[in-house]
Amino acid sequence: MLNLQLGIRHAVGKQGPITLDLKSSAFDPKEKVWTRFPPEGSKYTPPHSSCDFKWKDYCPQVFRTLRKLFKVDAADYMLSLCGDQALRELSSPGKSGSFFYLTSNDQYMIKTMKKSEVKIFLKMLRAYYNHVRAFENTLVTKFFGLHCVKLAGANQKKVRFVIMGNLFCSDYPIHRRFDLKGSSLGRTTDKPQTEIDEYTTLKDLDLNFIFRLQKHWCQEFQRQVDRDCEFLEQENIMDYSLLVGVHFRDTRDRLLTGGSFDSDSSRGSSPHLSRGDTDANRFAKIKLGSNMPIRAERTIRKSDIEPQIIGEPTGEFYDVVLYFGIIDILQDYDISKKLEHAYKSFQYDPTSISAVDPKQYSRRFRDFVFKAFQEEKLDL
């Protein structure tokens, strides 16, 4: 952790000129800078209490420019990641075996990466840069830096990690979270209803709402999901998800949706406001995928229809604030995924499994999210 913070402080501190029209050489996977950090310090690095290590910055100019595109202030970024407050490790590694850390202000997330993921990311970096530059409202994960720490000595262990935006950095507590792919096989939580809380990641078959967006937002949502999926399809990417966070504005609504909430996040409908903030201010910050006040309509699945991936609408509405974005965009359709598809196709309906080719994946993903997010039909 200390090595990581020393490296970031060093990398961000070396601010160079920023131009949005980057040369091809900036995206070259070989475009990386190694810096040695001896404990006694050097001409370029401070003395520190950790072991001797080397620090690698991948495509530093690209990520410096991405931070500018995403309107990240360099000083705030450095303070968030390298301030006195320690980074928090999230309770358990994901299915991928990656570890996740959050900054104390919840703004940034750090994820350890496998070498194969780094390769995929560097291969698609130019296309990613062009995409997020062209579409300010993109829902794909915002990436701010790609780094590697290599320990000196006999071990020579390498830890690669990426810094990205935390989708759920919000003054509103998130009460329900859903990870949606559009597939049905194994897409349900293994927790009993009574144990589901605000930290449980629910899946496609657990989704019991249709999110009703105003006409303008619904059209913008569909346009942007189409653009983002086309980009991911072109890059041969599959297995991504739409991560959705739901804040219920009325305390009573939270209890009606089943499961539990801890006392801290059930503190009534008002958000925790930072200094100088008001509720009106908060809603002035509405953008696609962030801070969106909408109505969610409860759905119910009829058990005799299998598989019914979206339930029947009930006419029961909740006032909610939504946060959402497309995550896990670094899995390509490689040989292991092709084998997984072939193996599971013998056992299950091929359309229900997650591992399908990028074109089919993109089409199924869009079909599903456009059923889960629909235009608000207000009764006159």
Side-chain angles (χ1 to χ4, degrees), residues 56-126:
K56 187 197 294 189
D57 251 340
Y58 294 91
C59 302
Q61 196 183 355
V62 177
F63 286 102
R64 202 158 50 230
T65 311
L66 280 170
R67 292 195 292 271
K68 183 180 172 66
L69 271 178
F70 293 137
K71 300 180 174 61
V72 172
D73 178 81
D76 287 347
Y77 182 72
M78 199 190 295
L79 202 60
S80 298
L81 290 157
C82 311
D84 296 334
Q85 299 288 323
L87 300 170
R88 304 197 310 276
E89 186 176 335
L90 296 188
S91 54
S92 62
K95 194 171 70 172
S96 65
S98 294
F99 287 86
F100 293 85
Y101 301 89
L102 264 180
T103 56
S104 60
N105 61 4
D106 285 351
Q107 248 181 310
Y108 303 104
M109 191 177 274
I110 295 166
K111 176 192 174 191
T112 60
M113 295 179 84
K114 292 182 285 199
K115 187 177 182 178
S116 59
E117 288 179 306
V118 172
K119 274 186 165 175
I120 291 164
F121 190 21
L122 290 173
K123 198 170 94 180
M124 67 184 278
L125 185 57
R126 182 200 285 269

Side-chain angles (χ1 to χ4, degrees), residues 116-258:
S116 59
E117 288 179 306
V118 172
K119 274 186 165 175
I120 291 164
F121 190 21
L122 290 173
K123 198 170 94 180
M124 67 184 278
L125 185 57
R126 182 200 285 269
Y128 172 83
Y129 176 81
N130 290 337
H131 183 76
V132 299
R133 185 180 173 188
F135 302 112
E136 192 183 355
N137 281 339
T138 181
L139 296 172
V140 298
T141 307
K142 290 180 168 66
F143 293 112
F144 304 116
L146 183 62
H147 311 287
C148 177
V149 167
K150 182 180 178 183
L151 303 182
N155 190 354
Q156 295 275 307
K157 182 179 165 67
K158 284 184 179 179
V159 181
R160 301 166 184 87
F161 56 93
V162 67
I163 301 167
M164 52 195 180
N166 174 21
L167 207 56
F168 295 158
C169 177
S170 152
D171 289 312
Y172 290 100
I174 301 296
H175 299 124
R176 283 291 176 267
R177 54 189 74 206
F178 296 94
D179 179 289
L180 307 174
K181 291 180 185 285
S183 56
S184 56
L185 183 67
R187 298 297 296 158
T188 183
T189 182
D190 49 10
K191 279 192 177 183
Q193 187 70 21
T194 50
E195 288 179 25
I196 291 170
D197 61 19
E198 61 269 39
Y199 304 109
T200 307
T201 300
L202 300 165
K203 299 178 185 174
D204 303 65
L205 294 177
D206 304 311
L207 181 65
N208 53 349
F209 296 105
I210 290 173
F211 301 112
R212 301 286 184 188
L213 306 179
Q214 290 172 9
K215 185 176 181 178
H216 155 71
W217 284 117
C218 191
Q219 290 172 343
E220 181 57 33
F221 173 75
Q222 291 182 351
R223 271 197 300 267
Q224 195 54 57
V225 169
D226 277 338
R227 290 166 182 151
D228 289 342
C229 285
E230 281 160 17
F231 155 66
L232 294 169
E233 195 182 313
Q234 283 164 7
E235 294 304 307
N236 205 37
I237 299 294
M238 41 76 70
D239 223 15
Y240 45 87
S241 308
L242 186 74
L243 187 63
V244 182
V246 185
H247 165 81
F248 291 95
R249 299 183 70 191
D250 189 322
T251 315
R252 291 162 299 183
D253 287 348
R254 301 167 203 170
L255 304 175
L256 292 172
T257 57

Side-chain angles (χ1 to χ4, degrees), residues 299-311:
T299 60
I300 191 158
R301 283 182 182 80
K302 293 180 178 171
S303 53
D304 55 330
I305 304 174
E306 284 294 337
Q308 190 182 21
I309 201 161
I310 296 272

